[in-house]
Amino acid sequence: MNIIRFRSVIAIFISAISVAYLSCSSNPPSNISGASLIPKPVSVTNSPGWFMLESDAAVYVSSGSDELMKTGNYLAEKLRPATGYKIDVKATDKTPGAGNIFITLAASEPKLGNEGYELVITDKKIVLSANKPEGIFNGIQTLRQLFPSSVELATRQAGPWKVASGTIVDYPEYPYRGVMLDVARHFFGVNEVKQYIDLLACYKINALHLHLSDDQGWRIEIKSWPQLALHGGSTQVGGGNGGYYTQEQYSDLVKYAADRYITIIPEIDMPGHINAALSSYPELNMNNKVTELYRGTEVGFSTIDTKKEVSYKFVDDVVRELAAITTGPYIHIGGDESHVTKREDYIPFVKKVQEIVRSHGKQVMGWDEISLSELGPNTVAQYWSNAQNAQRAVSQGAKVLMSPAAKTYIDMKYDSTTVLGLHWAGYIEVDSAYIWDPAKLVPGIGKENILGVEAPLWTETIADMKDLEYMVFPRLPGIAEVAWSPASSRNWAEYSVRLGRHAARFNALQINYYASKLVPWVKAE
């Protein structure tokens, strides 16, 4: 055999092995407990057999709920492109026949609460049940992960579309599972935020905290103070045009998120981080002078004048307009790193701003420094830096939102070679973002004191969606699991394998993720 022919035979052999591997690996696991689900469900029980989605399949929803019909359409829209199937959505008063997916608000487990679900898969049908439509939506995300990752592609694929039989009963550990997006340092447009919302929904995130104002930019139209957006929103870190959301655009984002059971929490940071407002309205400044627009990244140098009546009229107007277009319960008032605000001025300011927010029918969130002041009813303190501040909030009866910088700040570099991000809170590799328990992190703060978990993304170095995706993925799925799954069921070694099998799904969703060497990535199912 000559060398050319030998190489040819070897090439054919390798090609055959590859095809065989890909053919085998295109099938889902032989039992449902082998599926790489993130977040990890509370309970998974195997059953023999498979469900096969065929071309004549339909999604049936129990009659009488427009919201359930909308959620059924969401599922069908996710399945149609890759399968090439028509997948009609139909209302019904009875259990449908074989070969279909049935969605119903008839859950059998009281533990499910509002967001839990039960998913029963047999060789005949798939039945997804829950107490509330948001539970159905969460179950749909699990069902998406049970199908081959190619189901996420936008063009028709060969299939087969098999799902292993079994039963999943699932519900969240914490009611709040969020991320924060800083649109003040670098602005992200409406379509980009919607793209992010769709990715968040995949991992059962239910809150998006938008950091709408800072020294570098003001990103929301306030009709009674128009220069905030027109002037204060005109630039960003490093220069450039910046941008802002009109109230109509913001309302559209709120609705888009709500359709995916994600609540938007708007933040107006004060009394510090306020230079964009001071540059727009000098009367808010202590010296009544216009400040220059700021394009840098330093913090702690600005403050609103906390002793002027006009400052409280400003706050009242901003909160009033924002509350009117925010359907969720919270307004975030910031309160962090206000280094040039005297403590004796900061404390009464925070107290008064809380009263203003409550007067407009909203609950208050703020960074952990707000606990220096007297916290009003239902105020939530977001722990990011100072454990004593978080403990002080709990001692006042407040709930705490856990965002420890050293674990959840997904703008931190993965390691010293990461080009994007900062590292003042340390390097946060994928394992570090996963290996922690919110209920054991701070002495005196147990599960009963915690509203949930939030992963902030500050954007000093994050300028576009590819940058965002690289810093968010794959840390976000792990943080989502920290917030959803019981701590007793979580183990890094086991999780890393499940995460590694999401590489094909990330690729199908066109996510620009960081391929950590700590994760055994499997790029083809």
Side-chain angles (χ1 to χ4, degrees), residues 12-27 525:
I12 291 169
F13 176 75
I14 291 172
S15 176
I17 292 293
S18 298
V19 168
Y21 170 76
L22 289 174
S23 298
C24 292
S25 63
S26 66
N27 290 323
E525 280 188 315

Side-chain angles (χ1 to χ4, degrees), residues 324-344:
I325 54 176
T326 298
T327 57
Y330 296 108
I331 300 285
H332 201 296
I333 64 172
D336 62 317
E337 297 178 322
S338 195
H339 300 322
V340 296
T341 313
K342 293 180 181 178
R343 183 162 177 162
E344 59 265 31

Side-chain angles (χ1 to χ4, degrees), residues 104-218:
T104 178
L105 296 178
S108 59
E109 287 280 347
K111 286 184 179 179
L112 299 183
N114 289 344
E115 291 191 284
Y117 61 92
E118 183 177 66
L119 186 59
V120 180
I121 301 165
T122 68
D123 59 350
K124 298 289 193 294
K125 64 174 70 72
I126 295 175
V127 179
L128 173 58
S129 59
N131 295 327
K132 298 288 183 180
E134 50 262 55
I136 295 293
F137 188 82
N138 287 326
I140 286 172
Q141 308 316 314
T142 298
L143 183 56
R144 287 170 67 182
Q145 292 184 24
L146 289 170
F147 280 106
S149 61
S150 54
V151 80
E152 304 293 349
L153 291 167
T155 56
R156 185 169 184 173
Q157 305 298 308
W161 306 109
K162 295 171 69 177
V163 179
S165 295
T167 300
I168 295 174
V169 177
D170 198 15
Y171 45 88
E173 187 80 349
Y174 292 101
Y176 185 110
R177 305 171 306 282
V179 300
M180 188 218 74
L181 176 59
D182 170 16
V183 296
R185 271 51 177 268
H186 278 103
F187 182 64
F188 287 78
V190 169
N191 289 336
E192 292 173 314
V193 176
K194 286 181 177 180
Q195 183 181 342
Y196 193 30
I197 288 169
D198 284 332
L199 295 178
L200 299 177
C202 294
Y203 293 97
K204 302 182 177 68
I205 295 296
N206 68 354
L208 173 58
H209 166 185
L210 288 177
H211 186 75
L212 292 171
S213 71
D214 214 295
D215 292 312
Q216 298 86 350
W218 186 283

